[in-house]
Amino acid sequence: MLKKVLQPPFWGMVFCVFYLIGIKYLQSIYEVKKIMTYGRGYQFSFLFYIMQTAVIWLPFMILIINCVLRKEWKILFESSKKVIQRYWMGFVVYFAALCLVLKSVGLGDMYYDISFINVTVDMMPSFDTYVVMNWLYHMFESINSILFLAFAPFMYCVGLMILQERKKD
């Protein structure tokens, strides 16, 4: 049933965004707990950042590694070309919306501002607000999240196309 729901590229894009939201929210909870336990100067290990990056990109890396091991470069490149030809307008709309959202969210000291709907939210210091502020930082200021939001829908569509090609063979 999940395969049928995630077939259209739009739902794949939505799934990718919610996947990132969930991963970054869990990361924010972990980081805020550590910071509140050990103080503001707590440094996270390099391994922690490598692991959280690997978790974010894991579904797409499995697909690429699978194609490399099977020597299916031709299918990978042909599927990428077909995805661009077929869904280019959807990607243009997605990137425009992504740029609008990324540029319109501003973070401050215990407040955030969403300029395109003219809303400013002030927060009182608490564990929950620190988690929300940390999550907003990871979603809108982190280069890893921005790259994921930019490339994940394309990679999702390419992966879907490769799986459809394999079913035909």
Side-chain angles (χ1 to χ4, degrees):
M1 176 165 166
L2 186 62
K3 281 185 178 181
K4 297 259 186 210
V5 170
L6 295 178
Q7 285 287 46
F10 173 78
W11 293 113
M13 290 180 189
V14 170
F15 177 76
C16 289
V17 169
F18 281 118
Y19 178 74
L20 179 67
I21 287 170
I23 296 294
K24 291 300 180 177
Y25 189 73
L26 292 174
Q27 177 188 356
S28 296
I29 291 172
Y30 177 77
E31 286 180 358
V32 170
K33 279 185 178 181
K34 288 290 188 180
I35 289 170
M36 291 186 119
T37 303
Y38 298 110
R40 261 200 182 290
Y42 183 76
Q43 294 292 314
F44 293 94
S45 69
F46 187 63
L47 183 62
F48 170 75
Y49 290 111
I50 290 173
M51 291 301 295
Q52 68 97 7
T53 301
V55 167
I56 290 173
W57 292 99
L58 185 65
F60 305 115
M61 294 312 295
I62 290 172
L63 173 75
I64 291 172
I65 290 170
N66 193 356
C67 285
V68 169
L69 292 177
R70 289 183 176 196
K71 299 184 191 276
E72 294 178 335
W73 288 103
K74 186 177 179 182
I75 292 175
L76 183 65
F77 291 127
E78 285 177 4
S79 297
S80 299
K81 183 179 171 184
K82 286 178 186 176
V83 165
I84 291 171
Q85 288 174 344
R86 189 176 297 168
Y87 303 116
W88 71 271
M89 185 54 117
F91 287 123
V92 167
V93 170
Y94 174 77
F95 287 131
L98 181 64
C99 287
L100 176 72
V101 170
L102 289 175
K103 291 296 182 187
S104 67
V105 174
L107 301 175
D109 189 23
M110 297 310 292
Y111 76 91
Y112 61 94
D113 178 44
I114 305 172
S115 62
F116 74 90
I117 57 174
N118 203 19
V119 171
T120 300
V121 178
D122 291 319
M123 296 189 202
M124 300 301 294
S126 72
F127 178 78
D128 295 336
T129 57
Y130 286 126
V131 169
V132 168
M133 291 304 293
N134 197 356
W135 175 77
L136 288 169
Y137 170 77
H138 285 303
M139 286 299 294
F140 297 106
E141 301 291 328
S142 169
I143 190 69
N144 198 9
S145 295
I146 294 169
L147 287 174
F148 183 85
L149 288 170
F151 290 112
F154 173 75
M155 292 296 295
Y156 176 84
C157 291
V158 169
L160 199 60
M161 185 89 54
I162 288 172
L163 291 175
Q164 289 172 350
E165 291 290 324
R166 286 183 183 162
K167 279 185 182 177
K168 290 179 185 176
D169 295 337

